[in-house]
């Protein structure tokens, strides 16, 4: 590895790891510098594959995956101690976590311009990867996989198409976990998910099927359009679905887990003073159409109130 | 920017510790680490609705392997949407949908998998959006089998 990138001491560990790991920056387009953390395999770093991990958002850091999910270290509640993860993905693979795009985590751009899009992210990820293979050339001989989760469901296949054209890389395949593959399919299927998990009742389901589906008698997987239906009755019913999934305090990232911090105070849409509040959070763009549509309607409804 | 219902205070505290930043070779002028950047999200242009065309091209190369997996209790990117997406690709089914296993001393059902040529769609039972955090043993078994080209 590049000696200047090697992490020689990581605070919080009782014992430093037996495998090598590296942290540094990779050059993307313009003045963008993407931060990476490479963890060598705990088994056979010379022979094991190289796995790139990208996180989604857009705007979320892959270090969350490294330190809370599939990396070798798990941060403890005190915010300082680290414990080893017995099921780390670097047990039998070299894993490269990339914070992308610029502006995410420790990644930055000298010009401070963080305006970007899907095509640009794919190109920057590819440029950063090329820079990685320049700095760590022996990984060119390793089998290479691209993985990621959430909105990286877009980043991963787009980067794969670029890597496929590069014969210098021994590209083998991709793995995407809980990824976004299709915004319309994700938006439509969540309504069935909610109904079949008992989150919405029969009355609302009836309203949905009557206003969003072509015929009441043909409710099958693809016959209903919940996602971008122009029928106002469908949009109204969908606002209620969106409200249940997003606003009432369910943990949308794990239905059967508690919501850390409990039910959010804005969950009912009204403050103690009777005012309505516009809230903002980070999500894949699954509900954008309905979510912002709903907020616009709320603004109209309460125009005599002072909005915060 | 915070992720709703997810406590990120420990990791935020850790990565903003000056000693940790020094260990990771982070320049001093880089601003505080946060789990998600609202600046990036707000300035982001979403150009695509679907990745179908991209997957079609990967599949048509006939030499790359694909694994799509879903914790089945996630509502941000739910399993059913990805199941529909995979069905929309029109792949030839190779192995019927079946349970796949992991071992926690005894074999356990980790979820369900349907396999096509060079392509698998797999669920992880009881896991949410962050599969390796929710079901670490099953997730490790899954990725290891995929990387080593072993059956699930």
């Amino acid at each position: 590895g590049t000696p200047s990138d090697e992490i020689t001491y990581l605070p919080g560990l009782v014992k430093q790891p037996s495998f090598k790991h590296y942290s540094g920056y990779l050059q993307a387009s313009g003045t963008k510098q993407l931060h990476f953390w490479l963890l060598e395999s705990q088994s056979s770093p010379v022979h094991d594959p190289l796995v790139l991990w990208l996180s989604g958002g857009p705007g979320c850091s892959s270090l969350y995956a490294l330190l809370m999910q599939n990396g070798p270290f798990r941060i403890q509640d005190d915010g300082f101690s680290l414990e080893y993860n017995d099921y780390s993905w670097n047990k039998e693979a070299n894993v490269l976590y990339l914070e992308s795009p610029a502006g995410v985590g420790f990644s930055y751009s000298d010009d401070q311009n963080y305006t970007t899009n899907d095509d640009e992210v794919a190109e920057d990820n590819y440029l950063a990867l090329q820079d990685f293979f320049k700095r760590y050339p022996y990984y060119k001989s390793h089998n290479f996989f691209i993985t990621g989760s959430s909105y990286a469901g877009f980043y991963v296949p787009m980067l794969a198409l670029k890597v496929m054209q590069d014969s210098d890389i021994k590209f083998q395949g991709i793995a995407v976990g809980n990824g976004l593959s299709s915004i319309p399919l994700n938006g439509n299927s969540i309504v069935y998910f909610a109904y079949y998990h008992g989150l919405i009742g029969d009355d609302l389901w009836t309203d949905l099927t009557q206003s969003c589906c072509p015929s009441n008698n043909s409710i099958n997987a693809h016959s209903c359009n919940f996602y971008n239906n122009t029928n106002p009755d469908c949009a109204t019913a969908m606002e209620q679905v969106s409200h249940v999934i997003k606003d009432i305090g369910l943990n949308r990232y794990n239905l059967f887990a508690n919501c850390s911090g409990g039910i959010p105070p804005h969950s009912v849409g009204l403050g103690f003073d009777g005012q309505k509040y516009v809230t903002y959070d980070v999500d894949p763009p699954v509900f954008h159409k309905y979510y912002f549509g709903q907020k616009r309607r709320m603004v109209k409804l309460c125009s005599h109130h002072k909005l915060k | 920017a915070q992720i709703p219902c997810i406590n990120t205070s420990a990791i935020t505290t850790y990565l903003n510790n000056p000693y940790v930043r020094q260990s990771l070779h982070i320049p001093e002028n880089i601003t505080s680490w946060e789990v998600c950047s609202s600046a990036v999200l707000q300035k982001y242009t979403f150009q695509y609705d679907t990745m179908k065309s991209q997957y079609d091209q990967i599949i048509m190369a006939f030499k790359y392997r694909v694994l799509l997996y879903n914790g089945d209790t996630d509502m941000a990117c739910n399993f059913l949407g990805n199941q529909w997406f995979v069905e929309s690709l029109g792949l030839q089914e190779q192995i019927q949908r079946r349970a796949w296993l992991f071992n926690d001393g005894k074999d356990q059902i980790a979820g369900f998998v349907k396999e096509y040529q060079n392509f698998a769609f797999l669920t992880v039972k009881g896991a949410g959006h962050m599969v390796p955090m929710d079901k670490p043993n099953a997730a490790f078994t899954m990725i290891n089998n995929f990387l080593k080209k072993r059956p699930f």
Side-chain angles (χ1 to χ4, degrees):
Chain A
T2 305
S4 60
D5 291 338
E6 185 170 356
I7 301 170
T8 52
Y9 175 82
L10 188 65
L13 287 167
V14 172
K15 186 174 181 283
Q16 293 299 305
S18 54
F19 54 88
K20 290 192 172 190
H21 56 147
Y22 304 87
S23 169
Y25 284 89
L26 300 171
Q27 179 73 49
S29 66
T31 60
K32 293 171 196 161
Q33 297 283 325
L34 302 187
H35 175 248
F36 74 92
W37 192 336
L38 168 69
L39 299 120
E40 282 193 351
S41 170
Q42 298 182 42
S43 299
S44 176
V46 178
H47 299 107
D48 285 339
L50 174 67
V51 175
L52 171 67
W53 178 273
L54 299 168
S55 287
C60 296
S61 167
S62 61
L63 298 194
Y64 182 80
L66 193 164
L67 293 164
M68 302 295 287
Q69 298 183 50
N70 55 13
F73 318 117
R74 284 273 175 97
I75 293 182
Q76 303 302 294
D77 288 344
D78 62 9
F80 183 77
S81 313
L82 299 178
E83 300 253 319
Y84 284 100
N85 171 18
D86 289 338
Y87 302 103
S88 172
W89 288 18
N90 86 321
K91 285 268 178 182
E92 297 189 40
N94 302 286
V95 187
L96 172 65
Y97 295 86
L98 184 66
E99 290 193 293
S100 165
V104 172
F106 291 129
S107 295
Y108 65 94
S109 180
D110 283 335
D111 64 8
Q112 303 277 308
N113 178 10
Y114 298 124
T115 302
T116 192
N117 58 48
D118 295 321
D119 287 339
E120 203 173 290
V121 170
E123 181 64 15
D124 280 335
N125 286 342
Y126 180 58
L127 292 173
L129 194 59
Q130 283 187 316
D131 193 33
F132 174 80
F133 284 114
K134 257 188 224 157
R135 292 165 68 102
Y136 296 80
Y138 53 89
Y139 277 114
K140 280 185 179 174
S141 62
H142 290 230
N143 285 339
F144 177 62
F145 293 87
I146 306 172
T147 67
S149 71
S150 200
Y151 194 73
F154 275 40
Y155 298 158
V156 169
M158 290 186 70
L159 175 60
L161 291 186
K162 291 182 179 292
V163 173
M164 281 162 57
Q165 310 301 321
D166 190 334
S167 55
D168 285 346
I169 300 173
K170 284 182 71 180
F171 179 51
Q172 300 296 305
I174 64 173
V176 177
N178 288 76
L180 197 62
S181 307
S182 158
I183 295 172
L185 290 181
N186 194 46
N188 270 332
S189 58
I190 188 63
V191 181
Y192 293 90
F193 184 102
Y195 180 57
Y196 292 130
H197 281 80
L199 307 184
I200 58 177
D202 275 338
D203 290 347
L204 178 53
W205 179 248
T206 303
D207 288 347
L208 286 162
T209 53
Q210 283 179 349
S211 57
C212 308
C213 308
S215 158
N216 222 1
N217 299 321
S218 63
I219 310 303
N220 63 48
H222 299 287
S223 67
C224 304
N225 177 13
F226 300 116
Y227 167 68
N228 60 354
N229 201 308
T230 52
N231 181 346
D233 292 337
C234 177
T236 303
M238 276 302 294
E239 283 177 11
Q240 293 181 61
V241 178
S242 178
H243 177 68
V244 169
I245 292 168
K246 293 195 62 154
D247 298 335
I248 66 171
L250 292 172
N251 183 343
R252 83 193 68 154
Y253 298 100
N254 188 349
L255 174 59
F256 299 123
N258 286 339
C259 177
S260 174
I263 296 171
H266 66 263
S267 65
V268 292
L270 284 171
F272 291 115
D273 53 2
Q275 292 186 28
K276 294 187 177 179
Y277 292 86
V278 174
T279 60
Y280 177 79
D281 58 21
V282 176
D283 229 2
V286 181
F287 301 105
H288 278 188
K289 283 196 165 81
Y290 283 109
Y291 188 59
F292 292 120
Q294 178 188 6
K295 293 305 168 196
R296 276 197 296 274
R297 274 185 284 278
M298 283 175 71
V299 170
K300 282 180 190 166
L301 284 170
C302 58
S303 57
H304 57 292
H305 289 306
K306 184 180 173 187
L307 281 166
K308 288 183 178 176
Chain B
Q2 291 298 312
I3 311 172
C5 294
I6 307 295
N7 185 349
T8 56
S9 56
I11 186 172
T12 306
T13 302
Y14 183 80
L15 287 172
N16 286 314
N17 179 329
Y19 296 107
V20 173
R21 288 171 61 111
Q22 196 175 18
S23 295
L24 299 178
H25 318 119
I26 307 302
E28 283 181 12
N29 60 333
I30 302 299
T31 52
S32 298
W33 185 93
E34 52 183 3
V35 67
C36 295
S37 163
S38 53
V40 170
L41 179 65
Q42 283 166 5
K43 292 174 182 170
Y44 199 92
T45 302
F46 299 93
Q47 295 172 286
Y48 302 94
D49 257 4
T50 174
M51 285 289 110
K52 185 173 183 311
S53 144
Q54 286 76 3
Y55 274 94
D56 283 342
Q57 292 174 66
I58 294 167
I59 292 160
M60 286 306 288
F62 294 110
K63 58 179 179 177
Y64 304 112
R65 287 185 292 126
V66 178
L67 167 66
L68 293 192
Y69 66 90
N70 267 78
D72 65 8
T73 66
D74 179 26
M75 297 196 293
C77 300
N78 75 87
F79 80 94
L80 191 57
N82 277 321
Q83 187 173 301
W84 291 357
F85 177 75
V86 174
E87 285 165 9
S88 77
L89 297 174
L91 300 165
Q92 184 76 40
E93 182 181 314
Q94 209 167 47
I95 301 175
Q96 281 186 335
R97 193 174 192 274
R98 63 182 169 84
W100 68 281
L101 311 179
F102 77 107
N103 191 289
D104 71 345
K106 289 178 180 172
D107 280 344
Q108 300 285 350
I109 290 177
F112 295 86
V113 62
K114 190 170 180 178
E115 291 180 74
Y116 310 85
Q117 189 177 3
N118 288 334
F119 200 114
F121 174 71
L122 177 148
T123 64
V124 183
K125 182 171 64 76
H129 196 68
M130 291 82 165
V131 172
M133 182 161 67
D134 295 335
K135 298 286 176 184
N137 189 345
F140 176 71
T141 303
M142 171 197 74
I143 199 69
N144 220 19
N145 287 341
F146 174 69
L147 297 176
K148 302 266 165 69
K149 216 175 174 178
R150 291 193 295 235
F152 293 107

